[in-house]
Amino acid sequence: MDFLNKLNPQQRQAVTAPDGPVLVVAGPGSGKTRVLTQRIAYLIASEGVRPWQILAVTFTNKAAKEMDSRVQAMLNEQATEGMMLGTFHSICARILRREADHLPLQSNFVIFDSDDQERLTKTIIKEFNLNDKLYRASSIHATISRAKNELILPDDFPINTYRDEVVKRVYTEYQKRLIASNAVDFDDLLVYTARLLEENPAVRDKYAQRFRHVLVDEFQDTNIAQYALVKQLASHHKNIFCVGDPDQSVYGWRGADYRNVRRFEQDFPDAQVILLEENYRSRQNILDVAMGVIDRAANRRKKRLFTDRGAGEKIIYHEAYNDYDEAAVVAETVYQLTKTRQFEPGECAVMYRTNAMSRLIEEAFLQARLPYKLVGAQRFYGRREVKDVISFIRLVHNTADEASLGRVINAPPRGIGEKTLTTLYMVARQNGLTPGAVLIDLARGAASPFYKSFTGRAALPLADFGGMLANWVAFAATATIPELFDRILKDINYKEYIVEDESEESKERWENVQELKRLAMEYSTGTLDEFLEHVALVADQDTITDANAPTLLTLHAAKGLEFGAVFIVGLDDGIIPHSRSFDEVEQMEEERRLFYVGITRAKDKLYLIRALQRGGRGMAESTMESRFLEDIPAHLVDGKSRSGRPTRSGFSSARTLSSDRWTASPAKPKPASVIQSRYPAGTRVQHLLWDEGTVIESRLQDGDEILTVQFASGVKRLAASIANLKIL
């Protein structure tokens, strides 16, 4: 038990807590993963708990793997054999496959991903002759998802408006179609498991008695269904150990309810509550800035974050002229931080409120010839070719999967049109069969009773596809996953289909398929259930590569990560906080927590950046400084208004980003406003990144000279005071 000696007093108190309910309120960077993993090791090594009596739940596969490897390092692989550790969804999937006899599904059910869910919703809206502009599939499905998160099924869906009535009809049909396809969506994994445990005492008791200890990571991100699950699974022994921080609850938009922390304390009034306040990640100035922001939040448990890493540098604040300038400043600063070896490229991160804000940042990095990693945009598993191959394998595994069938029946094109597909679905429903079953029967040609339902032109390609599908199903019974993978791609000539020419795009598509094949190789001795479950449940953060490059990501995607230098851009009212939160108290509180999360990702250096104008060239609008900046103590910040005007947060004469040093430069008296142009049109200039260029326009504005310069890489708009241009 030597590992206990490396814990601080609060961590040790949590790890060695006696039986009973325990709530660990863990501040950012306070070592919550260490506490969770060492709690598991302590239970096994010191308390005599068997591994199979432990259930540990987290939110990402990456976190689950890290916890598992850490526990094994402290004990050994055999000592942890049988422990159930994974995400909520993967654990629920395991339970449901074992208990499929209690469900309206077979144990080989498939899991519909977000695209499948929206496509199915869209199909139903179309079949119901609803206005798809008024009733958008994404909006309707989001409402269905929220209902499921609150354990509300179609029959119980409340109707207060006509839209509610429409949603209820779509929801009802949506569930029928899922069951007919022997499929579930992500929310169903939680709902089915919660209802299974609630309605079947024998099943609940089996698992509740087995799991002597239930441990939950990121508890503040649980929704009502997840909280109901862990309560039921801990109902026998009452040994429930929850780690989280309501200050970091930022996923309300997808059902997370930070109030579950409060519910926990109400449901378990005898729970021991332990605060982890010592931070091992950030400098004290960064923590003090974070506390200045979060201390203004309502209804929260106060805690004091402290560290022994020292005060560190002040936070750097910068006001750019516009959003192009904002992006350029970030790219140039990252370039200098890495060029001077203050940080490795992979230690830098740029965070923004919405994915759409990444475009200008990406452009600036490309123009500066800086590599970068983009998180949360086009995921590997969301690419067309990857989804195609997965859908083929899903269809072989479960021929009732209509979503997969609809995706691949014409990939590559086989001359099967929308009218033929509609007829196929109609024939299947009229005969109480799935479209997949009808296709396989059509492989018998004219001997099939369904053959005459189609024109000869339509029946032939359907029969051909049905024949291939039947052969794949038979082959899959004895083949490995890689063998099935190769057989399908060969039969349909998939490489010829996606590699249209010698372009880099075509090569990348085939490389993506080969990358999926490499994953399939890892499941050579596994089952199709395991392989398909993995690709369905993988999360955005699980796809972050280890490449040594700056990371561009949203504030939401940043949760759980840490970086040496962090840039938070877009600190304008309407962006952070988002304009949608202006009239909603709860949403405004979540926006505040989101900003807090971003700040606390920084270890050594934090940049807060905004733009005076935003909206693109020709349509720029003036912005206002984020109201959250008002809460940051001015003495912790080096920065000033780009235009020299007063700022609401009182960031007065301090320091600003400077192109020549790219570090905080000494405070000096505010210079007089520029009263004449130094760079008239036609002036040849040189820039640090973009080399030589020609000024094509110059105008005085807000005490600065705003330049439009033609460089070899394109036209740039710059503020002379920060561009550090050299006149040639």
Side-chain angles (χ1 to χ4, degrees):
M1 304 297 290
D2 291 341
F3 57 79
L4 292 178
N5 298 327
K6 298 179 181 178
L7 301 175
N8 67 41
Q10 290 72 34
Q11 291 174 331
R12 187 183 182 108
Q13 181 186 1
V15 168
T16 62
D19 284 359
V22 178
L23 175 62
V24 180
V25 181
S30 61
K32 70 177 181 62
T33 303
R34 172 187 289 187
V35 166
L36 271 168
T37 53
Q38 296 197 10
R39 172 69 171 176
I40 294 170
Y42 175 79
L43 291 173
I44 295 172
S46 181
E47 296 297 294
V49 179
R50 307 297 295 274
W52 53 267
Q53 294 177 308
I54 294 175
L55 169 66
V57 192
T58 186
F59 273 82
T60 67
N61 293 312
K62 183 179 179 181
K65 288 177 182 177
E66 183 179 354
M67 287 173 61
D68 189 40
S69 63
R70 286 197 192 186
V71 174
Q72 288 187 22
M74 282 185 282
L75 303 174
N76 59 63
E77 189 171 346
Q78 288 71 36
T80 63
E81 190 172 349
M83 180 173 62
M84 190 173 282
L85 189 159
T87 65
F88 272 100
H89 292 94
S90 64
I91 286 172
C92 286
R94 272 183 266 176
I95 292 174
L96 292 178
R97 293 196 195 282
R98 293 175 183 175
E99 308 297 336
D101 289 345
H102 300 280
L103 306 173
L105 302 164
Q106 297 175 19
S107 61
N108 67 334
F109 60 79
V110 295
I111 302 169
F112 276 21
D113 66 14
S114 341
D115 287 346
D116 299 326
Q117 296 163 30
E118 188 165 330
R119 189 179 296 110
L120 176 56
T121 307
K122 190 176 294 184
T123 298
I124 295 169
I125 289 171
K126 183 178 180 180
E127 290 181 5
F128 281 5
N129 292 317
L130 296 169
N131 185 333
D132 58 3
K133 291 183 174 59
L134 188 60
Y135 301 106
R136 291 183 298 110
S138 58
S139 175
I140 295 292
H141 187 267
T143 305
I144 293 172
S145 180
R146 284 194 295 272
K148 290 185 178 184
N149 286 336
E150 297 177 12
L151 296 176
I152 299 173
L153 297 184
D155 289 345
D156 303 318
F157 189 85
I159 297 177
N160 297 310
T161 65
Y162 178 69
R163 183 180 186 278
D164 292 339
E165 183 180 332
V166 170
V167 172
K168 183 168 185 171
R169 287 169 54 208
V170 175
Y171 186 5
T172 302
E173 184 63 22
Y174 176 83
Q175 285 305 110
K176 287 180 181 176
R177 299 283 179 91
L178 283 175
I179 293 171
S181 293
N182 192 35
V184 297
D185 62 18
F186 293 133
D187 300 315
D188 283 335
L189 292 171
L190 306 176
V191 174
Y192 275 126
T193 309
R195 291 185 68 86
L196 173 70
L197 298 177
E198 180 184 346
E199 297 172 359
N200 294 270
V203 176
R204 179 182 64 238
D205 291 346
K206 176 172 70 173
Y207 289 98
Q209 289 176 24
R210 169 188 167 177
F211 297 128
R212 185 172 154 191
H213 287 269
V214 176
L215 301 93
V216 185
D217 188 18
E218 303 287 7
F219 184 60
Q220 78 282 345
D221 290 334
T222 55
N223 58 36
I224 290 176
Q226 289 162 335
Y227 181 51
L229 271 171
V230 296
K231 273 182 62 181
Q232 290 165 343
L233 291 169
S235 60
H236 185 79
H237 297 286
K238 300 291 193 296
N239 294 327
I240 180 170
F241 186 93
C242 296
V243 181
D245 182 5
D247 289 343
Q248 297 183 71
S249 180
V250 295
Y251 296 126
W253 50 276
R254 69 183 189 196
D257 193 340
Y258 72 98
R259 290 168 296 191
N260 281 344
V261 175
R262 200 178 308 154
R263 293 186 181 103
F264 179 91
E265 295 182 87
Q266 293 170 350
D267 293 339
F268 300 96
D270 58 336
Q272 183 177 359
V273 180
I274 301 167
L275 300 183
L276 301 185
E277 298 173 299
E278 182 171 0
N279 181 286
Y280 294 91
R281 174 189 301 153
S282 306
R283 300 285 187 176
Q284 191 64 51
N285 278 345
I286 293 173
L287 297 179
D288 290 345
V289 167
M291 295 309 295
V293 170
I294 202 62
D295 277 346
R296 297 293 183 92
N299 302 316
R300 61 178 289 271
R301 183 188 297 276
K302 297 285 185 180
K303 55 183 179 292
R304 182 179 68 88
L305 300 180
F306 64 94
T307 182
D308 64 2
R309 295 197 62 225
E313 299 179 34
K314 289 185 177 183
I315 280 64
I316 299 176
Y317 171 74
H318 180 73
E319 231 177 37
Y321 173 71
N322 60 21
D323 38 8
Y324 287 88
D325 182 21
E326 177 184 57
V329 162
V330 171
E332 294 183 35
T333 308
V334 170
Y335 172 77
Q336 286 296 330
L337 289 176
T338 55
K339 178 184 177 183
T340 57
R341 300 188 181 279
Q342 294 180 58
F343 295 95
E344 286 293 313
E347 293 180 296
C348 301
V350 185
M351 300 176 187
Y352 33 81
R353 178 61 180 82
T354 63
N355 271 314
M357 294 183 69
S358 75
R359 183 179 66 86
L360 293 182
I361 306 291
E362 286 188 77
E363 287 181 5
F365 272 71
L366 290 169
Q367 290 167 356
R369 296 180 177 85
L370 291 174
Y372 62 89
K373 295 181 292 186
L374 181 64
V375 175
Q378 176 69 317
R379 298 171 50 219
F380 174 80
Y381 294 99
R383 291 167 180 155
R384 186 196 83 184
E385 58 275 10
V386 174
K387 286 184 68 66
D388 279 353
V389 177
I390 291 172
S391 293
F392 273 112
I393 296 174
R394 269 179 33 174
L395 182 62
V396 173
H397 183 52
N398 173 20
T399 57
D401 183 353
E402 284 191 26
S404 292
L405 176 62
R407 181 178 185 89
V408 303
I409 197 167
N410 249 337
R414 299 181 178 85
I416 301 174
E418 283 293 326
K419 186 176 179 181
T420 301
L421 271 180
T422 301
T423 305
L424 173 64
Y425 292 142
M426 181 187 68
V427 169
R429 291 195 171 89
Q430 286 175 345
N431 289 274
L433 298 171
T434 66
V438 172
L439 275 173
I440 290 175
D441 195 79
L442 283 171
R444 299 191 295 129
S448 169
F450 311 119
Y451 201 82
K452 292 183 179 179
S453 300
F454 304 88
T455 64
R457 186 176 178 181
L460 285 174
L462 289 175
D464 287 344
F465 187 83
M468 283 195 297
L469 179 57
N471 290 335
W472 295 334
V473 170
F475 182 70
T478 56
T480 65
I481 296 173
E483 289 170 347
L484 176 62
F485 190 106
D486 287 340
R487 169 73 180 271
I488 293 173
L489 266 59
K490 180 181 178 182
D491 285 355
I492 63 175
N493 295 318
Y494 193 70
K495 183 175 183 180
E496 289 77 6
Y497 169 52
I498 63 167
V499 181
E500 301 166 345
D501 49 38
E502 292 299 313
S503 68
E504 286 301 316
E505 184 180 356
S506 287
K507 292 176 183 177
E508 184 178 345
R509 284 198 292 265
W510 184 243
E511 286 172 3
N512 290 334
V513 173
Q514 293 306 297
E515 182 59 32
L516 184 63
K517 170 71 178 296
R518 283 189 278 276
L519 174 64
M521 293 293 291
E522 296 178 18
Y523 287 82
S524 293
T525 59
T527 66
L528 276 174
D529 277 334
E530 293 169 342
F531 173 72
L532 292 173
E533 194 166 294
H534 174 87
V535 298
L537 300 180
V538 69
D540 276 346
Q541 287 191 12
D542 298 322
T543 64
I544 297 177
T545 68
D546 294 327
N548 188 17
T551 301
L552 315 185
L553 71 173
T554 65
L555 287 163
H556 282 101
K559 190 162 176 293
L561 304 177
E562 60 181 36
F563 303 91
V566 167
F567 298 77
I568 301 179
V569 301
L571 280 164
D572 313 325
D573 244 28
I575 297 179
I576 305 174
H578 198 283
S579 57
R580 287 193 299 265
S581 68
F582 285 178
D583 299 322
E584 297 289 339
V585 174
E586 284 291 343
Q587 289 184 27
M588 181 62 73
E589 290 290 282
E590 183 158 316
E591 292 289 310
R592 179 181 293 279
R593 295 194 295 270
L594 186 61
F595 185 34
Y596 169 77
V597 164
I599 292 170
T600 55
R601 301 308 95 192
K603 295 162 65 176
D604 297 300
K605 221 167 177 56
L606 176 64
Y607 297 83
L608 304 179
I609 305 176
R610 65 174 298 261
L612 289 172
Q613 295 184 356
R614 195 174 296 278
R617 296 189 176 98
M619 299 183 295
E621 295 182 357
S622 296
T623 63
M624 292 186 66
E625 185 178 280
S626 169
R627 64 193 69 189
F628 295 152
L629 292 173
E630 295 178 350
D631 304 326
I632 298 176
H635 71 276
L636 297 174
V637 180
D638 277 347
K640 64 181 178 181
S641 162
R642 234 290 293 126
S643 64
R645 64 176 181 168
T647 61
R648 293 192 314 192
S649 55
F651 294 164
S652 56
S653 61
R655 303 179 186 178
T656 186
L657 294 179
S658 168
S659 299
D660 52 352
R661 293 183 59 188
W662 297 96
T663 56
S665 48
K668 52 188 176 183
K670 179 181 173 182
S673 295
V674 175
I675 58 173
Q676 64 181 20
S677 171
R678 291 184 56 214
Y679 304 91
T683 303
R684 291 286 293 168
V685 295
Q686 186 172 41
H687 187 269
L688 180 69
L689 287 180
W690 299 313
D691 204 17
E692 296 184 10
T694 302
V695 177
I696 56 178
E697 182 185 16
S698 168
R699 61 189 175 87
L700 301 180
Q701 180 176 318
D702 294 330
D704 205 344
E705 186 174 5
I706 308 304
L707 308 174
T708 303
V709 185
Q710 176 71 61
F711 293 100
S713 58
V715 176
K716 313 295 180 190
R717 192 170 182 177
L718 308 169
S721 65
I722 65 170
N724 194 33
L725 295 171
K726 178 182 177 182
I727 297 177
L728 299 176

